[in-house]
């Protein structure tokens, strides 16, 4: 196992800058999720780490060793592809054995280790099947077994679960996490599914337009997004724009909101509030000291079984509030309601 | 119970009309094949058992002597082996030259360059076969284009003596049939997902291993199809051997052609043709397990 260091990596395709001075430290044995919208450079970054393509400038270290000039076959990495990329002409056994075979591992050892790997992904007994005789989830697991059987230093996954349906995906997420923990391999996981990134990883990095916007443990990233983009891309967020006045945020209509810490600086500022942190106050409920209060018009109630979404509007600000489905008060669209949320949940972000 | 169930099932009821539509769609094609190929072929098969061309005023009866001739005279068997060797060699050269070319076309070149190169591969198909062969005589003959060029590059190079040799026949045939191999290999190479190659490399495979374990096995259907498409016409070919091979260009194909055009012994020509066909079928039967595994 090894840590991976990417430092000041740039990559352009012609005029287009796909990676712009990206520096990330992937901890030894960690599970790092690279999250970003389509075209943000996630695959490009992964391919530089794997060695399929080489950065224009910057350094990549695997286990402290500079690898920029090593081609992929010399880097000892395991990679799992979005479309599985199993060899259709080989059995499951031969697919998994491939990485050992090219390393001239003795036959008995190949047999033992392929057996172990297939057991790890719970596919013992499928050795002789061809890839086309497997279900999508089984193929995925063969691909995973194949990527880790030769004990690579790093495991790279490019949206490995996006081709699966939702139920299977949740199952595979659990499997992936279990296997990663058992093997203890440094894992870099590319996804554009924020929920997947938050559940699986112990560190998340958000990429946008080839730049690393923010990174941190999932919880920290969710609770303290640094930018409006990170706040809206990772989960849902209500954004309030206004002017800084005496450490508070003054909205254009004069309402004043307090944030986690008194706002510094002058001029424009933006604050984000997660929809599930807001609540609709009961009629006649007295305002709490450490809460912000805002009046808004309820426009729509969206029912989704165990939860409800309220869509509200205040002047030109559209708001969303999530609530468990146990609201007692009967609310009607068109009604004016009071929203309250803790000051500590009002996060100042960069616009 | 089960029987009455299947009788009532909708798929069961749809079957007759299905068969009818299959017949309706394929019928014309089969009719055409019967009229244009099977009937003349049957006539030739009949000829091959006659002692002379069945024309009025000729004396002819049914005989096996045409077939016996092949087994009695070493001459024909030597020619048969020569023709088969020619077929194998031309197919092999086409593979050695065509496969790398198809690989480059399918996997390394993108966009407009690919179209341009493709056109260059196809163009020999468009030119007349006779012109193609005669232009090779200009290149290969003593003091021809090739020798002049070599002489200019390496003064005092001397003569290659390529014209009217077995090698000249191989060169001409490889040139004529190369596009088949390139096209069939190109098609099966372009169906190989690039991710498979990336995956193999990520597991540590060198480029040679990727070629041997992934690319060659997966493109085998195209290679086999190309080889069959080349082998069959080459062993019966007569034009290239005659023009480029001269006295060295005697193969079973040229002998058969002689029987039809100059000697006017159609029955012998027909019998030799069917023996050639039988040989091809036997070869395919022997290689059947390999061919089946490949595709
Ligand atoms: N070989 C290439 N030539 C030119 N441009 C490229 C090439 N590869 C990627 N790009 C561009 O670089 C940008 C980043 O691409 P990349 O594949 O890394 O995105 P991504 O974050 O993986 O997106 P997705 O989630 O859609 O897979 C895109 O705008 C893409 O068009
Ligand atoms: Mg991608």
């Amino acid at each position: 196992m090894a840590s991976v260091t990417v430092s000041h990596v740039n990559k352009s395709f012609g005029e287009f800058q796909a990676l712009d001075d990206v520096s990330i430290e992937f901890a030894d044995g960690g599970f790092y999720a690279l999250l970003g919208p389509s075209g943000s450079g996630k695959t490009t970054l992964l391919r530089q780490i794997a060695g399929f393509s080489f950065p224009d400038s910057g350094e990549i270290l695997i286990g402290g060793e500079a690898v920029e000039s090593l081609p992929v076959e010399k880097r000892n990495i395991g990679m799992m592809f979005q479309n599985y990329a199993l060899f259709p002409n080989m059995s499951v056994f031969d697919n998994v054995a491939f990485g050992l075979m090219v390393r001239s591992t003795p036959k008995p050892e190949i047999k033992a280790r392929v057996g172990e790997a297939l057991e790890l992904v719970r596919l013992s007994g499928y050795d002789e099947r061809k890839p086309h005789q497997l279900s999508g989830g089984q193929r995925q697991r063969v691909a995973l077994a194949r990527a880790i059987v030769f004990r690579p230093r790093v495991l790279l996954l490019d949206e490995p679960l996006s081709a699966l349906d939702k139920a299977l995906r949740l199952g595979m997420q659990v499997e992936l996490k279990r296997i990663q923990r058992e093997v203890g391999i440094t894992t870099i996981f590319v996804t554009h599914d924020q929920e997947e990134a938050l559940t699986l990883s112990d560190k998340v990095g958000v990429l946008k337009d080839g730049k690393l916007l923010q990174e941190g443990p999932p919880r920290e990233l969710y609770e303290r997004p640094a930018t409006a983009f990170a706040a809206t891309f990772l989960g849902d967020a209500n954004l309030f724009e206004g002017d800084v006045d005496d450490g508070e945020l003054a909205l254009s209509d004069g309402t004043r909101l307090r944030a986690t810490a008194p706002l510094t600086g002058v001029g424009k500022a933006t604050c984000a509030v997660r929809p599930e942190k807001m609540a609709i106050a009961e009629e006649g409920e007295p305002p709490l000291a450490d809460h912000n209060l805002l009046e808004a018009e309820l426009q729509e109630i969206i029912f989704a079984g165990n939860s409800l979404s309220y869509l509200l509007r205040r002047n030109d600000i559209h708001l969303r509030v999530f609530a468990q489905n146990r609201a007692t008060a009967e609310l009607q669209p068109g009604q004016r309601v009071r929203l309250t949320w803790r000051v500590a949940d009002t996060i100042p972000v960069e616009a | 119970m089960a029987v009455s169930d299947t009788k009532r099932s909708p798929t069961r009821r749809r079957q007759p009309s299905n068969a009818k539509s299959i017949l309706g769609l394929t019928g014309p094609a089969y009719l055409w094949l019967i009229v244009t190929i099977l009937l003349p072929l049957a006539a030739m098969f009949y000829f091959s058992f006659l002692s002379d061309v069945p024309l009025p005023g000729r004396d002819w009866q049914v005989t096996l002597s045409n077939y016996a001739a092949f087994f009695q005279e070493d001459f024909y068997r030597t020619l048969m082996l020569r023709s088969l060797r020619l077929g194998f060699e031309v197919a092999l050269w086409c593979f050695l030259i065509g496969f790398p070319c198809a690989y480059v076309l399918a996997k390394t070149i993108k966009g407009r360059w690919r179209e341009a190169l493709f056109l260059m591969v196809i163009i020999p198909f468009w030119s007349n076969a006779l012109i193609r062969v005669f232009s090779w005589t200009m290149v290969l003959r003593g003091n021809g284009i090739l020798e002049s060029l070599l002489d200019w590059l390496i003064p005092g190079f001397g003569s290659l003596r390529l014209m009217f040799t077995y090698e000249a026949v191989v060169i001409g045939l490889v040139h004529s049939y190369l596009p088949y191999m390139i096209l069939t290999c190109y098609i099966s190479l372009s169906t190989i997902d690039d991710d498979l190659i990336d995956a193999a490399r990520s597991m540590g495979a060198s480029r040679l291993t990727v070629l041997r374990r992934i690319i060659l096995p997966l493109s085998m259907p195209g290679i086999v199809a190309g080889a069959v498409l080349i082998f069959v016409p080459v062993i019966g070919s007569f034009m290239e051997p005659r023009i480029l091979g001269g006295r060295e260009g005697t193969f079973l194909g040229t002998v058969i052609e002689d029987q039809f055009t100059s000697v006017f012994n159609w029955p012998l020509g027909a019998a030799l043709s069917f023996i050639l066909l039988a040989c091809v079928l036997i070869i395919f039967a022997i290689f059947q397990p390999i061919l089946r595994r490949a595709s």
Side-chain angles (χ1 to χ4, degrees):
Chain A
M1 307 304 134
S3 64
V4 176
T5 310
V6 170
S7 81
H8 304 290
V9 162
N10 285 287
K11 177 78 185 177
S12 312
F13 298 109
E15 293 285 283
F16 181 78
Q17 181 118 18
L19 293 176
D20 187 357
D21 195 30
V22 176
S23 299
I24 307 180
E25 179 74 41
F26 302 93
D28 190 355
F31 198 132
Y32 194 108
L34 276 172
L35 185 65
S38 189
S40 57
K42 305 180 296 290
T43 300
T44 308
L45 179 57
L46 208 64
R47 290 181 73 84
Q48 314 300 310
I49 298 171
F52 288 118
S53 120
F54 300 94
D56 301 335
S57 65
E59 269 197 315
I60 297 174
L61 307 172
I62 299 181
E65 174 200 356
V67 294
E68 303 90 74
S69 52
L70 285 183
V72 54
E73 57 266 28
K74 300 259 167 62
R75 288 196 189 183
N76 197 15
I77 49 111
M79 184 144 180
M80 213 170 137
F81 292 78
Q82 183 168 348
N83 61 357
Y84 322 117
L86 298 180
F87 305 133
N89 56 324
M90 297 185 196
S91 65
V92 167
F93 182 92
D94 289 337
N95 262 286
V96 179
F98 191 85
L100 298 169
M101 192 265 311
V102 299
R103 284 170 174 73
S104 317
T105 313
K107 277 251 163 64
E109 196 186 334
I110 291 187
K111 212 166 152 51
R113 280 171 65 178
V114 171
E116 267 169 44
L118 286 178
E119 198 170 314
L120 188 68
V121 297
R122 309 213 161 121
L123 275 182
S124 303
Y126 285 80
D127 309 43
E128 292 314 314
R129 297 256 193 123
K130 285 284 177 71
H132 67 90
Q133 296 166 319
L134 299 174
S135 73
Q138 289 167 340
R139 281 180 215 179
Q140 201 71 65
R141 285 186 275 169
V142 175
L144 182 59
R146 190 177 73 165
I148 58 179
V149 70
F150 54 91
R151 297 179 192 149
R153 296 186 290 180
V154 190
L155 179 61
L156 305 175
L157 309 152
D158 193 356
E159 309 206 18
L161 307 180
S162 61
L164 303 178
D165 65 58
K166 185 155 187 203
L168 207 50
R169 195 156 73 218
L170 293 178
M172 273 305 290
Q173 285 178 5
V174 175
E175 286 282 277
L176 193 61
K177 188 74 197 167
R178 169 183 70 82
I179 289 163
Q180 196 268 339
R181 214 177 283 135
E182 265 175 51
V183 181
I185 187 173
T186 313
T187 303
I188 305 173
F189 181 95
V190 162
T191 179
H192 58 235
D193 181 339
Q194 43 101 6
E195 209 178 305
E196 200 166 272
L198 293 177
T199 28
L200 283 175
S201 60
D202 43 49
K203 206 165 177 193
V204 181
V206 180
L207 275 181
K208 188 189 179 227
D209 299 333
K211 288 193 195 69
L212 182 70
L213 284 189
Q214 191 182 358
E215 61 172 350
R219 178 132 212 147
E220 184 189 309
L221 217 66
Y222 186 79
E223 304 287 1
R224 293 281 169 269
T227 62
F229 174 79
T232 48
F233 190 68
L234 252 172
D236 242 314
N238 294 307
L239 296 177
F240 297 98
E241 285 167 28
D243 294 303
V244 180
D245 182 15
D246 198 13
E248 295 183 348
L249 186 74
L251 303 186
S252 56
D253 60 14
T255 317
R256 296 172 77 90
L257 301 177
R258 285 168 294 160
T260 39
L263 297 173
T264 53
V266 284
K268 297 266 173 225
T270 307
C271 284
V273 184
R274 297 286 182 200
E276 72 277 9
K277 310 273 187 192
M278 292 179 148
I280 293 173
E282 301 267 335
E283 202 84 32
E285 190 182 309
L288 292 164
D290 61 343
H291 277 56
N292 280 315
L293 192 71
L294 190 76
E295 216 170 78
E297 184 192 335
L298 183 59
Q299 290 201 301
E300 210 175 314
I301 304 171
I302 298 169
F303 174 73
N306 61 0
S307 67
L308 294 171
S309 295
Y310 298 106
L311 302 188
L312 306 109
R313 197 169 78 104
R314 180 190 170 86
N315 303 329
D316 53 351
I317 315 172
H318 292 265
L319 300 168
R320 259 179 114 90
V321 174
F322 296 154
Q324 294 291 313
N325 184 10
R326 57 172 176 218
T328 42
E330 276 298 315
L331 296 168
Q332 294 300 327
Q335 199 175 335
R336 289 197 73 80
V337 295
R338 287 181 308 152
L339 294 173
T340 71
W341 67 92
R342 294 193 315 152
V343 168
D345 291 328
T346 314
I347 315 142
V349 293
E350 279 171 46
Chain B
M1 277 290 282
V3 172
S4 64
D5 266 5
T6 49
K7 258 188 192 154
R8 230 175 281 139
S9 80
T11 48
R12 189 61 184 222
R13 250 184 286 145
R14 211 181 303 133
Q15 254 175 7
S17 74
N18 227 353
K20 220 181 275 173
S21 69
I22 287 173
L23 195 73
L25 288 170
T26 57
Y30 279 119
L31 199 69
W32 175 252
L33 285 178
I34 287 169
V35 171
T36 57
I37 296 179
L38 234 44
L39 282 184
L41 218 57
M44 276 298 155
F45 193 59
Y46 173 61
F47 277 19
S48 71
F49 290 101
L50 303 182
S51 60
D52 200 353
V53 188
L55 290 176
R58 297 261 191 155
D59 200 19
W60 55 272
Q61 66 259 20
V62 175
T63 169
L64 277 174
S65 62
N66 296 318
Y67 287 93
F70 178 81
F71 294 99
Q72 278 155 6
E73 285 179 56
D74 281 347
F75 171 67
Y76 292 120
R77 255 171 298 149
T78 317
L79 277 186
M80 173 65 89
L81 289 180
R82 227 168 107 82
S83 287
L84 293 177
R85 181 181 149 209
L86 183 72
F88 278 119
E89 273 184 26
V90 170
L92 184 68
W93 280 111
C94 283
F95 165 69
L96 291 178
I97 300 167
F99 187 81
C101 175
Y103 183 84
V104 170
L105 272 176
K107 291 289 171 214
T108 32
I109 295 180
K110 301 257 141 69
R112 194 177 303 170
W113 274 104
R114 179 184 285 179
E115 286 159 32
L117 276 169
F118 230 112
L119 211 63
M120 285 168 65
V121 171
I122 309 279
I123 279 173
F125 261 169
W126 291 348
S127 63
N128 180 288
L130 206 58
I131 290 179
R132 229 155 43 205
V133 178
F134 273 112
S135 51
W136 271 112
T137 64
M138 312 258 284
V139 175
L140 296 178
R141 72 185 156 82
N143 278 325
I145 296 172
L146 185 63
E147 283 189 7
S148 313
L149 187 71
L150 285 172
D151 210 49
W152 178 71
L153 287 173
I154 312 159
F157 184 82
S159 170
L160 277 173
R161 295 183 206 288
L162 257 181
M163 195 60 200
F164 302 132
T165 59
Y166 180 80
E167 286 71 30
V169 178
V170 172
I171 290 173
L173 285 169
V174 166
H175 176 236
S176 295
Y177 289 99
L178 190 58
Y180 286 113
M181 186 59 92
I182 295 178
L183 289 178
T184 55
C185 285
Y186 174 83
I187 289 166
S188 60
L189 278 169
S190 53
T191 60
I192 299 177
D193 192 343
D194 286 347
D195 276 354
L196 292 183
I197 297 166
D198 283 353
R201 292 184 62 205
S202 78
M203 283 180 268
S206 65
R207 291 187 185 258
L208 193 68
T209 312
V210 174
L211 180 72
R212 220 162 49 84
R213 309 302 294 246
I214 312 293
I215 295 170
L216 275 180
L218 288 177
S219 50
M220 206 39 95
I223 297 170
V224 168
V228 169
L229 280 178
I230 292 165
F231 181 76
V232 174
V234 163
I235 57 174
S237 65
F238 52 85
M239 193 173 67
E240 290 90 348
R242 185 147 290 170
I243 298 169
L244 295 171
R247 263 195 304 151
E248 287 293 309
T250 312
F251 292 90
L252 208 56
T254 57
V255 170
I256 292 171
E257 195 225 352
D258 278 338
Q259 304 310 315
F260 283 98
T261 55
S262 38
V263 186
F264 212 62
N265 187 354
W266 285 27
L268 180 61
L272 290 176
S273 299
F274 281 103
I275 290 170
L276 193 62
L277 180 63
C279 261
V280 170
L281 292 178
I282 289 168
I283 288 171
F284 284 167
I286 292 170
F287 285 104
Q288 177 68 20
I290 302 171
L291 295 181
R292 170 126 19 106
R293 193 140 35 90
S295 36

